[in-house]
Each structure stands twice: as structure tokens, then as C-alpha cells.
Amino acid sequence: MIQKNTIIKGAFVLTLTGVVTRLMGFFYRIFLSRAFGEESVGLYQLAFPIYALCFSFCAAGIETAIARSTAASRSLKDPGRTKAALYSGFTLSLLLAFALMLFIQKEADYLSCRFLGEPRCAPLLVILSLALPFSVMHSCIYGYYIGQKRTKLPALSQLLEQTVRVGAVVFLYWFFMDRSVHTGIALAAAGIVAGEAAAALYCLGNLRKAGDMASPERLPLGAYKKGLGEILSLAVPLTGSRVLLNILQSVEAVSIPVKLQAFGLSAGESLSTYGVLTGMALPCVLFPSAMTNSIATMLLPTVAEIQVTGDVPAMKRVIKKVFFCCFSLGLLFCLALVVTGNFIGRLLFHSAAAGHFIITLAWMCPFLYTNGCLLGILNGLGKTNISFAVNVTGLLLRIGSVFLLIPLFGIQGYLWGLLASQAAVFALCLAYLRFFFFTL
């Protein structure tokens, strides 16, 4: 009962924040599409995978490792182990972030021309790179508090990051418009820097104020080495997974406009179609997943704690309840989006294509909303290699649809690939969890 209440309480806080931030993000994307145009939104979306790849290398695996290590240490009542893991992971992540920031700033032109095939992305990459140190600080502290099941600071930091990001871009846009100064989509990249900086400084201030960063020298050097070893043992497969996934996602993002041109669209039409899909339709379909993502976030420390105690029946009960909750929610929103997709596309985005995309993507909602929780369970069990294999399988199906189906069927072929990918991840996760508990 305690575990259930903890998940519900933590998920409620994160869900409430997630709904608010996604609402802000939802209307923010409408603002971007109207202020800068679909093609500019497509450029922004094209540059973003490079930033996401660098972030994954610096922090994605380390954040999860800190969360799981903190949860296990909390269950064993070992604060020294918790601090050692936090400091070690934080320092490593920050060093990697600064190194990649300098690399991107130096090689932005090469990356934009050679890998993205679009020279106009270079200024966006330079600006986005400035957000890396702040984003990894935010990420590591976020993981630490999630591992302790203290969701107030993670929730407020997310809200602050989104508020500053959106507010800065909207303010600067109107500020320059009043002075008849032309601005481009680079403002959106600058907004990310502002948002991550605000969130990182807020998290650092609260961490120091709470005393969690006090007196690190009290721990012997051996404790930090042990903490670093623990973080690396968990983070390396996760980071490898996230990096490979982001490389594949980058290949996917770059290839979609190219393959749309092979289908017969012009370069401008290809970018516009890509912008409508990733900047309008997908955020709409992903919006309700704020709740399931929050549950998945709380599941990781909960499963890690239960695993330490060895209470298998309790773990099975938690997993079953979460599964049926997420799958039912996915079915509900699937029906809602199928019915209202065209209306949403016309009303919010003034785009018939967006409405068509929303209706097609709606059918993956039951799988999409459940997969986050299933993968969170696997990571909580420490099965990061399995999670990696499942994610790669799903992404390879998506990339296959890009190269094989888009030239034949246009963007519709990619939508079919997305649905097949989510269904495959769903089936593989269920199959492994059934095998895992059967062998216990």
C-alpha cells in the first residue's frame, strides 16, 4: 500500500506539471508555426537531434543511474553511497557537456552540411550547444530527487524551464517585431538555453540550500571511486543505448525530408511536411502521455527498491496495475483523437495535413502510452541491456519505413512504420517481463 501511494502521489505531482508544461508547449508550437512558418519549424526540428544526441551522451544514462542508485541506497539506508553516486555522476556529466559544447561550436558548419544536409542549421547548433552544461546539471539533480521520490523540485524545475523558454521567445519576438527587426527560428534555440539555465540554477540553489551538497570531503576518495564505478556500471549500457538510439533517430530525421523528395516533393514541401508531422501532429498525440511518463518516472525507483527487498509478489501487483491503467488510458485517447483529429488540425494548426497525421498516429496511443512504463520497469530491474535491445528494434523498424516505404507511399509510409514500431516494442517488453517473472 505504501509503494502504491508513493507512486500515485509522485505521479500526480509530475503529471500535473507535465500537463501544464505540455499545454504551454502545445500552444508554443502553434506560435512558432505561425510566427516563423512550417519550413522554419522543420529546420529547427532537423537541428534538434544533434543536441539530443549530445545530451544523451552526457547525461541520459547518468540521470537514470543516479536515480536507481539513490533509490537502492535509500532502501538500504546508506546516505554515503547516495552522495558518492550523485557527486561522481554530476562531475562526469558536466565535464562531458563542456567538451561536447566546444566541439559543436567548432564543427557546427561541418555537422550541418555533412550530417544534416542543411547549412542553415549551423547557427542553431551553435546556440543549442550553449544549453548542454545547464541541461546536464538539471538532469543529474532531477535524477537524484526522483530516486528519493521527492517530486516537488523536479516538477517545479520542469515548470520553470518551460515557462522561461516560452516566455523568453515570445517576449523577444514581439520586442524585435515592434522595432521592425527581422528574427528567425534561432530565437527558439535561444529559448532552450534560457530555460535550461534557469532550471539548472534553481536546482543547484535548492540542492545547496537543502544541505545535500554540503561537505563532500567527509567521504573518503575510495567512496567516490566506488560511486563512480556504480554509476558507470549502470550508465554505460544506458548511455550506449541512448546514444545509438539518438544516432538512429538523427539518421531518421535527416532521411525523412530526403526520402520525401524521392517521393516527388520539393525541398521546401519536404521540410514543411516534416515540420507539420514533428512540430504539430506528434506533440498533439504525445500530449496525454504526460501521465504515463510520470508513472514511468516513479516506477524506476519503486521497482529498484522492491527488487532490493526481494518482494516479488508486490512487484507483480504494482506492474499489473500500472499496465492496465496505462493501456486503458491509451485506448481512451486513441478513440478521442480519431474522432477529433481533423477538427484539431483545422482549429489549432490551420492544417488539414496535421489533422490527417493525428488520426493515423492515434492508433499507436495504447502501445505508446504503455511502452514508457514497461521500459521504466525494465530499467528499474536493472535490465538496461534488454531495454536497449527493445528500443533499437523499434527504431530500426521506423528507419526501415523511412527508406523503404516513404519513397513508395510518401509520409503515410512513415506513419505506418511508427505504428509498427510501437506495437513491436510493446510485444517485446511484455514477452520479456513474462519470461523474467516466470524464471524467478
Side-chain angles (χ1 to χ4, degrees):
M1 182 62 70
I2 294 176
Q3 297 288 356
K4 180 182 176 181
N5 291 338
T6 302
I7 293 175
I8 293 173
K9 181 181 177 181
F12 174 77
V13 173
L14 293 176
T15 297
L16 185 61
T17 306
V19 168
V20 173
T21 56
R22 284 179 185 237
L23 274 173
M24 294 171 64
F26 190 67
F27 290 106
Y28 176 58
R29 288 178 184 273
I30 297 174
F31 166 77
L32 290 180
S33 66
R34 295 182 180 179
F36 303 110
E38 293 177 352
E39 185 175 353
S40 292
V41 173
L43 278 175
Y44 174 69
Q45 295 296 139
L46 191 62
F48 203 81
I50 296 290
Y51 170 76
L53 173 62
C54 293
F55 173 79
S56 295
F57 185 78
C58 298
I62 294 175
E63 175 193 327
T64 304
I66 289 175
R68 191 179 188 280
S69 178
T70 300
S73 303
R74 181 173 178 265
S75 182
L76 297 172
K77 296 180 173 56
D78 188 355
R81 175 181 168 185
T82 301
K83 280 190 175 183
L86 172 62
Y87 291 128
S88 301
F90 186 90
T91 303
L92 175 62
S93 187
L94 196 57
L95 289 173
L96 291 172
F98 276 113
L100 282 177
M101 180 188 74
L102 295 174
F103 172 77
I104 291 176
Q105 292 190 355
K106 183 179 179 181
E107 303 294 341
D109 290 330
Y110 177 80
L111 291 171
S112 60
C113 295
R114 185 81 172 100
F115 291 99
L116 300 180
E118 181 52 75
R120 290 177 292 173
C121 288
L124 299 179
L125 291 178
V126 171
I127 297 171
L128 286 171
S129 70
L130 298 174
L132 278 174
F134 299 114
S135 62
V136 301
M137 287 187 234
H138 180 197
S139 177
C140 290
I141 299 172
Y142 182 98
Y144 170 70
Y145 277 97
I146 289 297
Q148 291 199 335
K149 297 184 180 178
R150 293 156 62 184
T151 54
K152 181 180 177 180
L153 184 138
L156 290 177
S157 68
Q158 282 185 316
L159 186 60
L160 176 65
E161 186 273 330
Q162 186 77 324
T163 302
V164 173
R165 176 198 298 193
V166 174
V169 174
V170 173
F171 171 78
L172 289 174
Y173 176 78
W174 290 114
F175 177 83
F176 288 120
M177 283 288 291
D178 286 344
R179 287 156 179 77
S180 300
V181 177
H182 175 72
T183 59
I185 198 65
L187 278 182
I192 290 179
V193 179
E196 289 294 352
L201 294 174
Y202 171 76
C203 289
L204 277 174
N206 278 272
L207 196 64
R208 292 184 65 87
K209 184 179 178 180
D212 292 321
M213 293 280 283
S215 303
E217 68 277 4
R218 293 178 184 175
L219 291 176
L221 181 60
Y224 290 107
K225 289 182 178 179
K226 186 176 180 181
L228 180 61
E230 182 178 5
I231 289 296
L232 289 175
S233 67
L234 294 169
V236 167
L238 274 173
T239 299
S241 169
R242 299 290 178 85
V243 168
L244 180 56
L245 288 173
N246 275 283
I247 290 174
L248 293 175
Q249 286 169 348
S250 298
V251 171
E252 177 187 38
V254 172
S255 301
I256 290 174
V258 174
K259 294 303 176 182
L260 284 172
Q261 292 178 50
F263 177 67
L265 301 183
S266 68
E269 289 171 336
S270 299
L271 277 175
S272 295
T273 300
Y274 182 64
V276 170
L277 174 63
T278 58
M280 301 176 193
L282 270 175
C284 182
V285 173
L286 292 172
F287 180 82
S289 66
M291 179 181 294
T292 55
N293 288 344
S294 301
I295 295 172
T297 300
M298 294 306 301
L299 269 176
L300 191 149
T302 300
V303 169
E305 286 185 356
I306 297 176
Q307 189 180 31
V308 170
T309 63
D311 192 349
V312 176
M315 190 181 298
K316 287 184 177 180
R317 288 194 299 270
V318 169
I319 291 174
K320 285 180 180 179
K321 289 178 180 177
V322 167
F323 172 81
F324 285 112
C325 172
C326 294
F327 193 78
S328 300
L329 185 70
L331 285 175
L332 177 65
F333 279 102
C334 171
L335 295 175
L337 290 173
V338 167
V339 173
T340 63
N342 283 323
F343 174 75
I344 292 172
R346 290 194 304 270
L347 178 67
L348 297 182
F349 301 112
H350 298 169
S351 172
H356 172 69
F357 294 162
I358 289 169
I359 291 175
T360 305
L361 293 171
W363 296 104
M364 71 180 186
C365 286
F367 308 121
L368 177 68
Y369 297 170
T370 310
N371 288 346
C373 292
L374 294 176
L375 292 168
I377 291 167
L378 291 177
N379 288 331
L381 291 170
K383 305 298 180 181
T384 53
N385 291 329
I386 301 299
S387 174
F388 166 65
V390 170
N391 273 320
V392 169
T393 301
L395 194 50
L396 287 176
L397 284 174
R398 282 163 48 183
I399 292 177
S401 71
V402 172
F403 286 92
L404 299 177
L405 299 183
I406 288 182
L408 296 176
F409 304 101
I411 199 64
Q412 186 66 40
Y414 179 64
L415 301 182
W416 294 336
L418 282 175
L419 178 59
S421 169
Q422 292 297 328
V425 170
F426 178 83
L428 290 171
C429 285
L430 282 184
Y432 182 80
L433 286 174
R434 182 180 178 86
F435 168 79
F436 177 80
F437 285 108
F438 179 78
T439 57
L440 285 179

